[in-house]
Amino acid sequence: MSATIDPPVTQTTEPNQLTKETYRGRIHPDWCPGCGDFSVLAALQTAFFELGLEPHQTCVISGIGCSSNLPGYINTYGMHTLHGRALAVATGVKMGNHELKVICTGGDGDGYGIGGNHFVHTMRRNVDLTYVVMDNQIYGLTTGQCSPTSVKGMKTKSTPHGSVENPINPIPMAIVGGATYVARAFSGKQKHMVQMLKGAIQHKGFALVDVFSPCVTYNKDNTYQWFNPRVKPLEDQGHDATNFKAALEKAYQWGDEIPIGLLWKNTELPSLEDLEPVLHDGSGPLAFRKLGISDDQAQALIQELL
């Protein structure tokens, strides 16, 4: 199915004129009908609206995959980058203009598979950005192979007799890896997801929101019907997100009950931007500073790079 293009949405510079339509991209999503990623896109647009963020104040960056097409469907700055490299690009964007709200979007294969190395080190550095992973436990774009989060025994095109591998659990991995905001959401509970995204975007430091986003085409195991009776909001359980031990216990919980919500939050660890003195010398974002070279030298460099 090909994407269709609408006329451009009129942008506004007045915060009190923002509507949810402000964040609607020109291109209609070409995801399969029923895909959980539709809910994530709507929740992200709602979060931007409720936070009063102008499109020019945000940048959405992705890698490769079905979910990684999201920057094209939302009216903000955006970049569709290389497979597994979204966090590396996003770190560069954040350091270049630390006044931007930077959001990465992608899937479990892009983020926890080929992008696993960048995932670990972006958390370690506590870069001030939000990473939204649409975790469908399958490789959807390449038509249904086993992914890093596919459960053991799952039958896919690449594992016709059932996967023999243990899956990655990104939640405890993030908690112990240095992420300072770790949450889980479910596409079937969009209002709850909006709150998780708003908290992540407002948080100073690396924020992970892992979203159960069912693939209705290739994953016939982890469906909406499978998740609905199992997901239980932590907000209803009195969970203390500042308790490291309790956060890890909830992170490993899987079965008849699977917790969603804010599992872990640490406000005491400084972000990478806080620790970089050149960003706080009064000269503003690096992207807006003079290069310190002549126009001729600058043009020569630009031409060489192009």
Side-chain angles (χ1 to χ4, degrees):
M1 184 185 298
S2 60
T4 57
I5 299 179
D6 278 349
V9 178
T10 303
Q11 296 191 34
T12 175
T13 57
E14 295 295 330
N16 59 4
Q17 294 179 3
L18 292 174
T19 68
K20 290 183 182 180
E21 287 295 298
T22 302
Y23 309 96
R24 181 170 60 84
R26 293 179 60 188
I27 301 176
H28 281 211
D30 60 357
W31 294 316
C32 301
C35 175
D37 297 353
F38 282 103
S39 181
V40 178
L41 173 62
L44 191 57
Q45 291 167 327
T46 300
F48 286 163
F49 169 69
E50 293 186 2
L51 291 174
L53 290 172
E54 294 281 347
H56 71 270
Q57 294 174 319
T58 59
C59 184
V60 181
I61 297 169
S62 70
I64 298 296
C66 295
S67 54
S68 290
N69 287 331
L70 190 145
Y73 308 144
I74 194 167
N75 183 33
T76 65
Y77 287 123
M79 296 178 70
H80 193 175
T81 71
L82 300 176
H83 198 15
R85 306 297 180 254
L87 288 174
V89 175
T91 298
V93 170
K94 188 65 182 183
M95 298 303 285
N97 184 354
H98 59 285
E99 292 181 354
L100 278 175
K101 290 291 186 182
V102 179
I103 292 88
C104 268
T105 61
D108 44 298
D110 184 67
Y112 306 142
I114 189 172
N117 181 55
H118 293 299
F119 179 55
V120 169
H121 292 291
T122 309
M123 292 190 295
R124 174 179 67 84
R125 297 180 177 116
N126 196 28
V127 182
D128 182 23
L129 58 83
T130 297
Y131 193 23
V132 183
V133 179
M134 283 152 269
D135 188 350
N136 58 17
Q137 299 165 280
I138 199 84
Y139 277 104
L141 185 65
T142 50
T143 69
Q145 295 82 18
C146 190
S147 87
T149 55
S150 298
V151 297
K152 184 182 287 187
M154 186 175 181
K155 294 182 179 180
T156 71
K157 283 185 176 181
S158 59
T159 57
H161 301 291
S163 174
V164 298
E165 299 177 355
N166 293 311
I168 280 178
N169 186 338
I171 301 299
M173 187 176 178
I175 292 171
V176 301
T180 48
Y181 182 104
V182 181
R184 180 183 273 152
F186 170 48
S187 287
K189 294 186 180 296
Q190 190 182 115
K191 290 183 178 180
H192 177 265
M193 190 193 329
V194 169
Q195 298 310 310
M196 296 302 101
L197 293 174
K198 286 170 63 178
I201 294 167
Q202 291 176 302
H203 176 73
K204 182 69 171 178
F206 184 87
L208 171 69
V209 182
D210 184 80
V211 183
F212 292 135
S213 185
C215 174
V216 295
T217 302
Y218 297 111
N219 190 338
K220 303 303 183 182
D221 296 335
N222 308 114
T223 62
Y224 290 101
Q225 293 76 17
W226 188 87
F227 277 116
N228 267 318
R230 289 174 169 82
V231 294
K232 306 295 181 183
L234 287 168
E235 295 75 17
D236 299 337
Q237 303 174 32
H239 173 66
D240 180 5
T242 65
N243 185 319
F244 184 80
K245 182 179 179 182
L248 280 177
E249 288 177 353
K250 290 294 183 181
Y252 280 107
Q253 189 174 337
W254 185 272
D256 292 337
E257 289 193 8
I258 304 172
I260 60 173
L262 179 58
L263 290 99
W264 169 245
K265 186 174 182 179
N266 180 2
T267 59
E268 297 180 359
L269 191 68
S271 69
L272 179 62
E273 298 73 45
D274 290 334
L275 298 173
E276 182 52 70
V278 72
L279 300 181
H280 304 285
D281 63 2
S283 302
L286 296 176
F288 301 134
R289 300 185 192 183
K290 293 183 181 296
L291 293 174
I293 58 178
S294 69
D295 289 341
D296 289 342
Q297 289 173 313
Q299 286 303 316
L301 287 170
I302 291 172
Q303 290 302 317
E304 182 180 347
L305 292 171
L306 292 177

